[in-house]
Amino acid sequence: MANPEGNPFPAEQRLEQRLGPVLRRRDQVQAGTTDQRLLDTEGDSQWVHTDPWRVMRIQSEFVEGFGALAELPSAISVFGSARTPAGTPEYEAGVRIGRALVDAGFAVITGGGPGAMEAANRGAREGNGVSVGLGIELPFEQGLNPHVDIGINFRYFFVRKTMFVKYAQGFVVLPGGLGTLDELFEALTLVQTGKVTRFPIVLFGTEYWGGLVNWLRDTVIAQGKASEKDLLLFHVTDDVDEAIALVTKEAGR
């Protein structure tokens, strides 16, 4: 169990269990440990960079993700910018959304980072719900925020995206950047093509998302690149209660 000296968080937040790439904290800690190590010998190490080995590593990420998340209750994935400062209206909205989702009976899944992701995880944790963070290996290390109870760090974006969709019944999308847009349009494409069904998508922040919605309607749809009905694939709101009602109602609650 990790209990580093100088940890700024209270003692009850420090209880951790690491199972390979999976991080569990507080009441999500399980009995026992899983110690998996790759035994290597000295010599040529180029084999670890070949495509067949990468396939095995990709497979292991799917296995770890499925194993860690298979017993989650119904969940909603919440996306948003890692650059959203704490204390701002956007951050506080994320906290309220996370708390409200837990009150509605859902676990909360985020990218596990700071900003809007931290806000939603914080709301879930303060509501005594299940707070999940799915991190990603990046050149600049962010780490999982302290409000994550079940955390997994992935090497591959596409494995991580699968987990966001497979273990969630819907998405709430707070204002965000390119990563948030990537996750949003991935979900929209899956719904549009029928790869997933009954999957509500709610965009929170009419002012922020208004320009994107106008572009979709006035350019993409106007030029025949999408259908008018595609605007029905998502909802836009500024109201936390409405966002929760939309995402949970369509998710089957």
Side-chain angles (χ1 to χ4, degrees):
M1 300 298 178
N3 188 11
E5 293 296 323
N7 192 315
F9 302 105
E12 68 271 13
Q13 295 185 28
R14 300 180 201 159
L15 191 61
E16 293 185 355
Q17 177 187 50
R18 295 181 183 274
L19 306 173
V22 179
L23 169 68
R24 290 179 177 271
R25 288 182 177 143
R26 291 172 286 272
D27 61 345
Q28 294 302 319
V29 171
Q30 296 179 337
T33 62
T34 301
D35 190 16
Q36 297 179 335
R37 300 190 180 196
L38 178 64
L39 300 178
D40 197 5
T41 57
E42 294 183 2
D44 186 7
S45 62
Q46 285 302 111
W47 62 275
V48 302
H49 303 296
T50 63
D51 286 342
W53 173 245
R54 287 193 181 98
V55 170
M56 296 297 292
R57 196 157 63 181
I58 291 166
Q59 182 184 49
S60 74
E61 289 211 342
F62 277 113
V63 170
E64 292 283 4
F66 292 158
L69 303 177
E71 297 181 358
L72 272 186
S74 296
I76 300 294
S77 289
V78 181
F79 300 108
S81 176
R83 304 180 186 185
T84 300
T88 61
E90 284 182 13
Y91 185 96
E92 294 306 321
V95 174
R96 298 202 315 272
I97 287 170
R99 178 66 178 264
L101 287 171
V102 165
D103 291 344
F106 288 83
V108 172
I109 303 173
T110 79
M117 295 173 282
E118 175 188 298
N121 285 133
R122 175 181 164 186
R125 184 184 162 232
E126 291 178 350
N128 296 316
V130 180
S131 177
V132 181
L134 307 182
I136 186 69
E137 182 179 281
L138 296 171
F140 45 93
E141 184 62 35
Q142 288 185 321
L144 296 173
N145 70 68
H147 303 289
V148 168
D149 292 322
I150 301 176
I152 311 172
N153 274 311
F154 294 94
R155 291 185 180 91
Y156 303 101
F157 270 113
F158 60 87
V159 179
R160 181 180 184 238
K161 285 185 186 178
T162 299
M163 304 302 158
F164 278 132
V165 176
K166 178 172 175 58
Y167 293 103
Q169 280 68 54
F171 284 177
V172 176
V173 189
L174 296 162
L178 297 181
T180 302
L181 290 171
D182 177 47
E183 291 149 350
L184 167 61
F185 278 99
E186 175 98 4
L188 288 172
T189 301
L190 290 172
V191 178
Q192 181 198 51
T193 57
K195 296 293 185 181
V196 295
T197 57
R198 290 183 63 125
F199 199 86
I201 300 169
V202 177
L203 308 184
F204 189 86
T206 56
E207 182 177 357
Y208 188 85
W209 296 111
L212 175 63
V213 175
N214 291 339
W215 175 75
L216 288 172
R217 182 184 60 245
D218 299 337
T219 301
V220 179
I221 293 172
Q223 294 185 17
K225 305 299 190 299
S227 302
E228 188 74 27
K229 65 180 181 180
D230 290 332
L231 290 178
L232 302 177
L233 298 177
F234 60 88
H235 308 276
V236 187
T237 182
D238 289 316
D239 184 81
V240 171
D241 292 336
E242 183 181 18
I244 302 305
L246 287 167
V247 78
T248 57
K249 179 181 178 181
E250 290 193 27
R253 287 290 182 89

